[in-house]
């Protein structure tokens, strides 16, 4: 029907009614959609209040579950959220039980609507557990995982998981779960004890039929900190997670760990305990890579120390850091079940200026491969004052074959131990292999120097650098003697040719014996 604004057709009353209808329509169209600022407002409000510890709600049947019994509770994939609608992403959920004794609230965002996804026992199969689903009506979810096709279009792979405290982990194409990330670390490895913030509520934006990314909001809470997070997930060959965070402190903290990564290093070619194990190496990550604000690339191989070992690299506005898995051949591990060669590297790439601070590496002794004993994170020199917001953004890359590396050359392996010796002595031998485009261009007779420095607790006895004919790269052989066995030794090395630096800096710690 055609409307004509003319006094012959409309009275003043009719025109007022139409005007009100138009205004109401405009107001409805401008309704507020839930976004990051809504989560940040909640985090700010929480920070101004006293901390309220989440209430445990597990019935007795779920409290005493063993690890295997908990794993026997499985989500029914046929009931995955969004599967019936044929959307590109799907959600599956984790049941409460065992260590996961507090519920996590999970909401779906669609347009301007916010709807809680409620726990339902019929979503799960309970396996051999003697559990009556009718007694579980008051529970919630422990966490969730996101599925999306990255290896074949015919199957939606599990690409990211949020489960436990503020932990999450992701994979890209051809990868298997390995190291984890966290929303925040507080007072890690301090004598006062570590505080583990929790994601207490999530909001997940419902994807559209052709979407290739998924937006997840999260609210973090702990005795001394709150935070708002936005995760933008883009699964692929390298799965990308863009993170936006706004943090608030209730109280001062001694050490604020930003963008923490947690991994496992049991042993490798550089550090092998005296154990009976057929595998050459066992680790989710083999080194810490740091791209400093000055442009220097640093590689620190991981170790399994006998005592707690904390080291750091100071920088201003770092280019990035990550716990990396550079050994990619099956022969490095020979483990047909764990498949460590397929564990991802995780690279943190700051957005904007993070200012002055340090990348800290914590290495904890572990007697086996079941413990995550390695943590890396950024510590700002000036943490925020209680109540004042700290805004941060960074990109996380979960990678395998296209790991972030320096442009010229990088360390491929570090080996410790002597070859044949006519007269054994108390010296320590290390062999560092490098590879990269800058080295591939050199002739075999090029004069490449291995520039090695040691701290005051070591005496360098021998340094030799020569081509590695098997790999096409170069090798530096180092022999040294430790002065005080009860103190660590710190070493630095890089390759130089015609006064030009060719490689990243190899930065190594020999822990105390």
């Amino acid at each position: 029907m055609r409307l004509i604004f003319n006094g012959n057709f409309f009275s003043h009353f009719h025109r007022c009614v139409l005007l009100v209808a138009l205004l109401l329509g405009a107001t409805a169209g401008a309704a507020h959609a839930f976004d990051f600022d809504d989560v940040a407002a909640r985090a700010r409000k929480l920070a101004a209040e006293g901390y309220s510890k989440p209430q445990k709600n597990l019935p007795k049947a779920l409290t005493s579950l063993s690890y295997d019994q908990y794993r026997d509770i499985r989500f029914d994939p046929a009931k995955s959220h969004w599967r019936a609608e044929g959307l590109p992403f799907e959600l599956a959920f984790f049941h409460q039980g065992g260590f996961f004794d507090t519920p996590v609230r999970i909401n779906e965002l669609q347009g301007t609507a916010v709807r809680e996804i409620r726990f339902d026992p019929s979503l799960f199969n309970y396996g051999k557990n003697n559990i009556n689903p009718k007694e579980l009506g008051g529970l919630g979810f422990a966490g969730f995982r996101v599925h999306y096709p990255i290896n074949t279009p015919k199957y939606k792979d599990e690409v990211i998981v949020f489960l436990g405290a503020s932990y999450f982990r992701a994979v890209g194409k051809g990868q298997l779960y390995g190291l984890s990330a966290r929303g925040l670390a507080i007072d890690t490895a301090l004598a006062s004890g570590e505080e583990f913030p929790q994601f207490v509520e999530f909001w997940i934006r419902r994807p559209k039929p052709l979407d290739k990314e998924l937006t997840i909001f999260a609210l973090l809470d702990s005795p001394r900190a709150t935070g708002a997070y936005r995760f933008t997930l883009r699964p692929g060959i390298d799965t990308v997670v863009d993170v936006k965070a706004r943090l608030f402190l209730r109280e001062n903290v001694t050490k604020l760990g930003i963008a923490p990564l947690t991994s496992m290093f049991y042993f490798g070619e550089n550090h092998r305990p005296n154990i009976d194990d057929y595998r050459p190496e066992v680790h989710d990550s083999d080194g810490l890579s740091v791209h400093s604000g000055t442009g220097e690339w640093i590689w620190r191989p991981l170790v399994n120390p006998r005592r707690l070992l904390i080291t750091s690299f100071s920088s201003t506005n770092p280019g990035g850091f990550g716990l990396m898995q550079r050994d990619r051949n099956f022969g490095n591990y020979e483990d047909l079940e764990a498949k460590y060669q397929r564990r991802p590297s995780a690279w943190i790439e700051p957005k904007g200026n993070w200012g002055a601070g340090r990348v800290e590496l914590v290495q904890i002794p572990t007697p086996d491969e079941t413990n995550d004993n390695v943590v890396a994170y950024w510590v700002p020199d000036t943490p925020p004052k209680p109540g004042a917001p700290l805004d941060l953004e960074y990109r996380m890359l979960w990678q395998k074959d296209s790991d972030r590396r320096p442009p010229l050359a990088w360390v491929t392996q570090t080996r410790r131990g002597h070859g044949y010796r006519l007269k054994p002595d108390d010296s320590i031998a290390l062999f560092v292999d490098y590879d990269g485009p800058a080295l591939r261009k050199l002739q075999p007779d090029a004069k490449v120097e291995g520039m090695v420095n040691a701290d005051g607790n070591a005496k360098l006895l021998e340094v030799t650098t020569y081509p590695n004919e098997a790999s096409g790269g170069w090798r530096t052989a180092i022999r040294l003697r430790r002065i005080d066995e009860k103190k660590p030794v710190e070493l630095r090395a890089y390759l130089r040719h015609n006064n030009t630096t060719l490689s990243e800096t190899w930065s190594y710690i020999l822990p105390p014996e």
Side-chain angles (χ1 to χ4, degrees), residues 200-319:
V200 295
E201 188 167 3
F202 292 93
W203 297 262
I204 308 170
R205 193 173 301 286
R206 182 187 182 95
K208 296 177 182 178
L210 298 179
D211 280 354
K212 295 183 179 180
E213 67 179 39
L214 185 71
T215 301
I216 301 167
F217 300 98
L219 177 65
L220 178 140
D221 194 20
S222 79
R224 287 181 289 168
T226 69
Y229 287 77
R230 183 188 67 201
F231 302 94
T232 304
L233 168 69
R234 287 189 292 277
I237 295 175
D238 292 345
T239 286
V240 178
V241 182
D242 285 321
V243 182
K244 177 182 175 68
R246 182 171 299 159
L247 304 175
F248 300 91
L249 298 184
R250 287 189 173 97
E251 303 174 20
N252 289 318
V253 301
T254 304
K255 187 193 299 183
L256 190 66
I258 304 297
L261 301 172
T262 302
S263 192
M264 180 275 293
F265 182 91
Y266 184 25
F267 62 84
E269 72 266 7
N270 62 309
H271 197 104
R272 185 179 178 87
N274 186 22
I275 59 172
D276 184 23
D277 197 312
Y278 73 93
R279 299 168 297 177
E281 304 179 46
V282 176
H283 50 72
D284 285 334
S285 307
D286 55 6
L288 169 70
S289 179
V290 178
H291 187 198
S292 75
T294 63
E296 181 185 19
W297 286 82
I298 303 167
W299 175 253
R300 170 149 290 179
L302 300 179
V303 296
N304 182 2
R306 294 186 180 182
R307 291 175 285 276
L308 177 67
L309 182 62
I310 304 175
T311 57
S312 63
F313 300 93
S314 296
S315 184
T316 299
N317 299 326

Side-chain angles (χ1 to χ4, degrees), residues 376-432:
Y377 42 77
W378 170 258
V379 182
D381 280 354
T382 307
K385 295 180 180 179
L390 174 62
D391 286 285
L392 292 162
E393 291 191 59
Y394 55 95
R395 171 165 291 179
M396 303 185 68
L397 299 171
W398 301 81
Q399 305 178 303
K400 187 165 73 72
D401 298 324
S402 57
D403 287 354
R404 279 285 193 270
R405 297 184 182 183
L408 298 178
W410 51 86
V411 176
T412 59
Q413 65 174 350
T414 301
R415 291 187 172 273
R416 178 177 176 176
H418 292 278
Y420 171 74
R421 291 184 291 170
L422 182 61
K423 295 182 179 181
D425 56 27
D426 61 351
S427 65
I428 297 170
L430 295 161
F431 296 84
V432 185

Side-chain angles (χ1 to χ4, degrees), residues 170-172 175-180 237-239 261 263 284-287 289 299 321-328 333 340-348 396-405:
V171 290
Q175 301 171 21
L176 300 176
Y177 282 127
L179 80 169
S180 301
I237 295 175
D238 292 345
T239 286
L261 301 172
S263 192
D284 285 334
S285 307
D286 55 6
S289 179
W299 175 253
F321 68 93
L323 290 175
M324 319 300 282
Q325 183 80 317
R326 285 187 177 177
D327 287 344
R328 288 297 176 190
Y333 308 99
Y340 289 111
Q341 72 277 5
R342 294 175 60 186
R343 306 294 174 102
S345 299
W347 180 254
I348 304 295
M396 303 185 68
L397 299 171
W398 301 81
Q399 305 178 303
K400 187 165 73 72
D401 298 324
S402 57
D403 287 354
R404 279 285 193 270
R405 297 184 182 183

Side-chain angles (χ1 to χ4, degrees), residues 110-259:
Q110 184 176 12
T112 59
V114 179
R115 180 178 69 86
E116 182 180 0
I117 304 174
R118 295 188 176 277
F119 170 81
D120 184 344
S122 68
L123 298 175
F124 296 88
N125 297 316
Y126 291 88
K128 298 179 180 179
N129 291 300
N130 185 21
I131 295 174
N132 183 0
K134 295 181 180 179
E135 299 177 356
L136 307 179
L139 292 181
F141 296 115
F144 68 95
R145 59 183 185 263
V146 178
H147 292 250
Y148 182 88
I150 54 174
N151 292 299
T152 171
K154 298 180 180 179
Y155 180 78
K156 288 185 173 67
D157 306 274
E158 190 175 322
V159 294
I160 195 168
V161 170
F162 289 85
L163 179 64
S166 67
Y167 283 91
F168 62 98
R169 56 182 181 169
V171 290
K173 183 176 181 180
Q175 301 171 21
L176 300 176
Y177 282 127
L179 80 169
S180 301
R182 283 190 269 168
L184 191 66
I186 296 178
D187 289 353
T188 303
L190 293 185
S192 58
E194 183 170 1
E195 182 175 307
F196 289 89
Q198 293 180 291
F199 286 136
V200 295
E201 188 167 3
F202 292 93
W203 297 262
I204 308 170
R205 193 173 301 286
R206 182 187 182 95
K208 296 177 182 178
L210 298 179
D211 280 354
K212 295 183 179 180
E213 67 179 39
L214 185 71
T215 301
I216 301 167
F217 300 98
L219 177 65
L220 178 140
D221 194 20
S222 79
R224 287 181 289 168
T226 69
Y229 287 77
R230 183 188 67 201
F231 302 94
T232 304
L233 168 69
R234 287 189 292 277
I237 295 175
D238 292 345
T239 286
V240 178
V241 182
D242 285 321
V243 182
K244 177 182 175 68
R246 182 171 299 159
L247 304 175
F248 300 91
L249 298 184
R250 287 189 173 97
E251 303 174 20
N252 289 318
V253 301
T254 304
K255 187 193 299 183
L256 190 66
I258 304 297

